[in-house]
Every structure is written in structure tokens, then in C-alpha cells.
Amino acid sequence: MKDPRLENAGVDAWLVRLFDRIDEANMPWLMALCDRCEQAFGEALVDLVPSYTTLLVQYRPQQLTASQARTLLTDILADLAPDEAASAGETKEIPVWYDASVGPELARLEAEKGLTRDQVIEIHSGHEYRVFALGFAPGFGFMGSVDPRLETPRLATPRKRVPAGSVALAGRQTSAYPRVSPGGWNLLGRTPVTLFDPSRERMSFLQVGDRVRFVAIGREEFERLGGDTTPVAPVQEERS
Amino acid sequence: MTTRTLGTLRVEKAGPLATLQDPGRFGVRRLGVTQGGPADLHAFAWANYLLGNAWEAAVLEVTLGGLTLVAEQDTRLALCGADLSASLDGEPLAPWQAFTLPKGKALTFGMPVSGVRAYLAVGGGFHAEPVLGSLSCVTREGLGGHQGDGKPLATGDRLTFARGAAQATGGTREVPAEERIDYREPATLALVPGAQIADFTGESTFRAFHTDWTVDTRTDRMGVRLTGPRLDCRLESMISEGIALGAVQVPPDGQPIALLNDRQTIGGYPRLGTLTPMACSRLAQCHPGQKVRLRPVALSLAQADYLRQFQAFQAPAASRG
């Protein structure tokens, strides 16, 4: 942590900027800051949104003035220490059926990167990722960092409909779509895991700070686990 | 709770988009779940106020009219916000008032006259099973609403509420004249300048606050696109970070987007600043093509104004007059 900055985000929120680049080493600081905010703000806390380098802190202006909230955050930051234990995160496995029928950008990656399909799969599944943030949609985890050999930009034109469970890649990040939604990431395969379920205790399969491994499975295993094999069409347009 | 204790409004015609909203879904944004809640918090609050409801009572947000509701018993309701040509059993019904919908009679919303979203409150609030602590309907996420699955009202649906609470408890409450907004007027939106404002060129900062912006057709509960002169920022994009209600992002095309209740939880465009809650309410009532101005306001003033506007509504029920 260098020199944390507090930036106003309206009448009821401050954005704490802790870092200026994406790094796994940020996580213990961000997790510790979440913890400390929960304790210090108590009832006056409305919501926390951690992301790669920042934490958005929304509070009740009925209970704290903007300057009181700022002072509280300044005090927390003065003696903030990274919480390695709390931010170790759980290790989670996401089984993936890597197949061109459900991951049409596999072929593009092979062609563009000069790799075989097995190499693409090996590189994607051979690395442990960290969940840096959840957002875009409930339970959608932004995970990094993908091996530079697979680094690839978003599609120029997003798909109107990406099937639930789609495992995808954009830049040096990877994720899986919790439910059907529009999306511009490159699809590599599909997981049978339910990534978001409001009736489940922690709702989101992934939590910020988790460590994630993708595990390649075959079609039979995918179907046995309840996966949906409905194919998805490749995007026609050329990428800009 | 048995159905016998409940009163019901039947949806005879659904219209384009009508959803239940309470103040929103909080404490779950770190899971990627959006806030939701009334796009026009101001009109939402006055509708509950008219009936003496608790601040957080769930209200029906009616977008662009087209809805017909029939009462299955005499029901006390309040209507605030947009004028969507409402009529009660064929008689025109102006917003900003409480009224009784008699058993078997229809409340019909037609074409928008002023504003986009009307708020219909019932004594005690509408009932539904909360999802993640809130009834707020977010269609994109499939959460909340009258059935809990994020679906807007459909023809044949029923809206339920406590029958006993259908009586008026607000007495003779009225909405002060200055709070009954004519949404057809050009709007001035208060904006607390934000972190990246120094990264915009001086000319862009000047333009931001001295031009008429036009509300684009791309406007919904997620956000409102404004078109006008191009705003240039030295930062093209940033690492994604949490987005507050009313954040005004400027993507590389230089046209700002004000983010509203159903916005994504994190995003990575530079921000001019954050609209106040009142400015979000006002913007949410603008039709495409309407002109708006942005006016910078100091944080301390904006917060004081917010408290003055909303504190009365949010006070605990026991201490309300």
C-alpha cells in the first residue's frame, strides 16, 4: 500500500483507493479494510464494494456526516495491516467441458496464438487464479491473471446471449457467466456448477479472495453433473 | 399468513414495465448484486408519506403507463411521480394524492403526459417474499418483485397487501406544491464533482457544466446516456471499481452516462462525479430528447440537502407526525 486516497463518491459514499495496479498482494489489504470498516461503521454501514485496487464504502448520511465518515476511514487507514489469514481465501474447483460447441472462441485462440487445443486447455486450466472482484452480474467473478500466451481482447461486438456456465476469457482475466446474459468475453467452454443461488447460504459460489482452479472434464462427466450441452454459435464479425 | 388476511389488486393489463420496489437491496453488492430500488426516490417517498407508511414500504413503480389494475376490495392508494394519464373508473386522476379505489373498479394508466415513472403506494405497502433482504424487482438479475423472480407484472397477476392496512392512516396529508414536480421543465441536476474531474481537459470541464445535454434514447433503470459536446479525459479507462448511485461515467466516446439503481456494481470509466439522489430522481423522469444541465455542488451542501429532503421520511414510524 502506497499512499491511500479518499475520493468522494456522492452524498453517502467514499471510495478508498489503496493501489494503482492489479496485484494478488492487494487482496490481504482490501480484505482487512472490509473487516475494519464493518467494525468501525457498524450500523452506519450500508454496503461495501471491493474491487481490484479500491473499496467503495457506502454509509448512512443520517448517522454520519461526510467529514465524520472520512475521519473514520482516515483513522482506519492510519494503522491498517494486511490480513493474510482472513484473505487466504478458499480454494475452489470449477469443472469445465472445453469444447468448440460451447466454447466457440477456442478455435480462434488456437489460430491466433499458434497453439493446439490441448495447449490452450492446459494453459487455462494449469494455473491458480485469484478472485479480484465480483460484479457485472451476481456471482460473476473477475479472476486473474491469465497466462500472457492466452491474452486476448473482448469481442468487438458482444453476444446478445451468453449461456449460463460459459467459461470465458478477456484480456488477462477469466470468469464464468452465472446466468444467461449479454457478454463480450471469449468463450472456451462451459461449467455445470451453479455459480449464483440466492437460496444458498453464501449465495455466490465464488467470493472475493478465493483461489480458483479450472478442471477439464469430458462431455459425459459434464452431462452427469447436470451441464447443458446446447451449442453456442461463433461470432461472425471480424474483431477490430 | 393466509390469503384471507390479504387484500388484492388484480392486473387486468400489464403495460410495458411495472415492478415492485422498496428502497433497494443492500449489503450484497460485493457479490455482484445490484442495488435496485425506486428510480425516483423522491416520488416513491411521497407516495408512502401520503398513506402514513413506513419509509421502506414497497411501492409499485409504473413505467410509461399502459397498466390496468382492478381492486378486489375497497382499497386506499396514493399516486405520486409521473402523470401517466391515470383514471379511476374512467375519471381522470391527477398524481400527488391519496384516493380510494372501490371494489371492482379499475385504475388505468394511459400515455405519459409528464415524466416516465409513477409510484402507486398502498397502506402498509405491497407484500412479497423478500429476496436477499429486499422486494426490489431487478429484471436483469432475475431477483425480487411480486413473485421473487425478477419478472415485471404480467396480465392476470395479483398484487397483495395486508387487508387491514388498506384503510388510510395518512389522514389529510398532502404533498406540498413545491414538491409536485413538472417533469416537462428542463432539469438542472446537482453533481458532486468526483475523483477524476482533474483528468478532464479544462475545456471539457467547462462544457460539462455550461451546455444543454440531451437525454438519449438509451435510458433505462441501469443508466441514462447524455449526448452533447465531447468530453475528453486523459484517462481512457481505468481498473474497474465500485460505482455509486448517480456516478457519471465518461467512456472514450466522450458522452456521459449517469448510472441509476440497476447499474452494474463495478465499472472502469473515468467519472466526472456523482449526481445527488434528488438529481437521480429527476433524471429518471426525463424522456429521450429532454434537455438537462449539470450543476456542480459542494459535497457538504449536497449532503445537507439530501438530509433535509429525506430525513422526515426515514424517521422511525413512532416519531413521525
Side-chain angles (χ1 to χ4, degrees):
Chain A
M1 187 174 69
K2 288 198 304 187
D3 199 9
R5 283 211 312 267
L6 289 169
E7 300 172 353
N8 93 63
V11 300
D12 61 354
W14 287 99
L15 183 91
V16 187
R17 192 176 297 286
L18 281 181
F19 302 100
D20 55 13
R21 54 186 287 266
I22 297 174
D23 192 328
E24 279 195 25
N26 299 355
M27 303 308 296
W29 292 92
L30 283 162
M31 297 293 96
L33 182 57
C34 283
D35 251 27
R36 293 285 304 279
C37 285
E38 281 177 356
Q39 291 159 20
F41 281 78
E43 286 291 295
L45 188 67
V46 175
D47 221 330
L48 293 172
V49 194
S51 192
Y52 303 88
T53 55
T54 57
L55 177 68
L56 182 70
V57 182
Q58 189 190 353
Y59 61 92
R60 276 178 229 290
Q62 291 81 3
Q63 294 179 23
L64 292 173
T65 65
S67 63
Q68 284 170 333
R70 191 193 168 97
T71 305
L72 210 48
L73 287 167
T74 309
D75 290 348
I76 292 171
L77 290 166
D79 63 349
L80 187 70
D83 187 345
E84 303 289 349
S87 67
E90 289 179 46
T91 301
K92 305 221 167 113
E93 286 192 349
I94 297 184
V96 185
W97 177 40
Y98 292 95
D99 190 87
S101 66
V102 291
E105 272 76 64
L106 271 177
R108 171 178 280 163
L109 273 177
E110 289 163 39
E112 284 181 2
K113 307 293 179 189
L115 298 166
T116 66
R117 178 143 318 171
D118 284 349
Q119 284 172 323
V120 171
I121 295 169
E122 237 176 73
I123 297 170
H124 186 256
S125 62
H127 180 81
E128 187 179 79
Y129 301 96
R130 207 76 202 268
V131 180
F132 287 111
L134 290 162
F136 169 69
F140 185 96
F142 290 85
M143 294 176 257
S145 298
V146 170
D147 189 295
R149 283 174 290 171
L150 294 185
E151 186 171 349
T152 188
R154 285 172 169 76
L155 303 174
T157 308
R159 285 188 168 83
K160 289 200 177 73
R161 190 178 183 285
V162 176
S166 293
V167 172
L169 188 65
R172 294 192 58 191
Q173 304 204 73
T174 185
S175 191
Y177 286 81
R179 62 195 305 267
V180 178
S181 61
W185 289 33
N186 303 276
L187 308 187
L188 307 184
R190 199 176 288 170
T191 180
V193 171
T194 301
L195 293 153
F196 190 84
D197 178 357
S199 68
R200 198 161 52 192
E201 197 198 348
R202 294 176 75 194
M203 296 177 278
S204 175
F205 178 73
L206 299 174
Q207 307 284 327
V208 172
D210 279 355
R211 297 164 189 281
V212 175
R213 273 189 176 279
F214 294 99
V215 180
I217 57 172
R219 179 178 181 134
E220 268 180 37
E221 177 73 352
F222 177 74
E223 285 187 90
R224 194 185 61 79
L225 294 170
D228 172 14
T229 57
T230 311
V232 58
V235 170
Q236 297 303 319
E237 299 107 308
E238 277 304 298
R239 206 159 51 198
S240 60
Chain B
M1 184 166 13
T2 68
T3 46
R4 239 171 285 151
T5 65
L6 296 178
T8 313
L9 292 177
R10 185 165 47 81
V11 182
E12 197 165 275
K13 185 166 164 259
L17 180 66
T19 59
L20 286 192
Q21 298 293 341
D22 62 17
R25 196 164 275 115
F26 298 102
V28 285
R29 254 184 281 167
R30 73 173 83 179
L31 303 178
V33 178
T34 194
Q35 169 180 347
D40 180 351
L41 187 68
H42 172 261
F44 166 92
W46 282 112
N48 271 329
Y49 171 85
L50 281 174
L51 297 180
N53 283 350
W55 150 257
E56 62 273 12
V59 162
L60 185 67
E61 181 180 279
V62 184
T63 310
L64 297 170
L67 174 77
T68 302
L69 299 170
V70 176
E72 301 200 332
Q73 62 291 301
D74 291 0
T75 305
R76 194 73 182 151
L77 299 166
L79 181 65
C80 286
D83 181 348
L84 302 179
S85 318
S87 60
L88 200 170
D89 198 27
E91 289 295 310
L93 178 78
W96 309 107
Q97 61 170 316
F99 59 95
T100 298
L101 181 63
K103 180 178 177 176
K105 301 293 185 193
L107 173 65
T108 299
F109 293 88
M111 297 292 285
V113 174
S114 151
V116 175
R117 296 173 169 93
Y119 291 84
L120 183 73
V122 68
F126 288 102
H127 279 203
E129 199 60 45
V131 179
L132 310 184
S134 167
L135 302 188
S136 284
C137 180
V138 178
T139 54
R140 181 171 47 93
E141 294 183 347
L143 298 177
H146 63 302
Q147 294 170 330
D149 57 2
K151 294 239 167 42
L153 295 195
T155 301
D157 283 352
R158 287 177 145 74
L159 288 173
T160 58
F161 47 89
R163 187 182 281 251
Q167 315 309 318
T169 49
T172 55
R173 286 182 174 192
E174 286 187 2
V175 179
E178 66 272 19
E179 301 290 349
R180 305 174 185 203
I181 298 169
D182 185 345
Y183 303 114
R184 288 167 295 193
E185 297 286 317
T188 300
L189 310 174
L191 177 141
V192 183
Q196 286 87 38
I197 193 147
D199 294 309
F200 287 86
T201 62
E203 201 183 351
S204 291
T205 315
F206 182 84
R207 282 183 190 142
F209 298 112
H210 292 87
T211 6
D212 283 336
W213 291 95
T214 305
V215 174
D216 193 65
T217 50
R218 287 164 290 180
T219 161
D220 58 20
R221 287 180 44 88
M222 274 182 90
V224 177
R225 184 100 179 170
L226 302 175
T227 55
R230 183 193 167 88
L231 302 182
D232 292 306
C233 185
R234 282 179 277 271
L235 305 165
E236 271 235 324
S237 71
M238 315 184 315
I239 297 167
S240 285
E241 56 193 41
I243 310 173
L245 178 70
V248 176
Q249 288 189 332
V250 182
D253 68 3
Q255 304 294 283
I257 305 169
L259 292 161
L260 301 182
N261 297 70
D262 288 1
R263 69 196 178 282
Q264 64 278 32
T265 55
I266 62 174
Y269 292 124
R271 280 173 288 120
L272 263 187
T274 314
L275 296 180
T276 64
M278 190 60 197
C280 291
S281 290
R282 185 66 189 82
L283 181 58
Q285 293 288 9
C286 289
H287 283 278
Q290 263 189 277
K291 302 287 185 206
V292 298
R293 279 273 180 131
L294 300 174
R295 177 174 60 85
V297 60
L299 173 58
S300 56
L301 288 178
Q303 200 188 48
D305 189 50
Y306 171 79
L307 290 177
R308 191 178 49 71
Q309 275 281 338
F310 293 110
Q311 209 159 28
F313 301 126
Q314 298 185 4
S319 66
R320 270 208 314 270

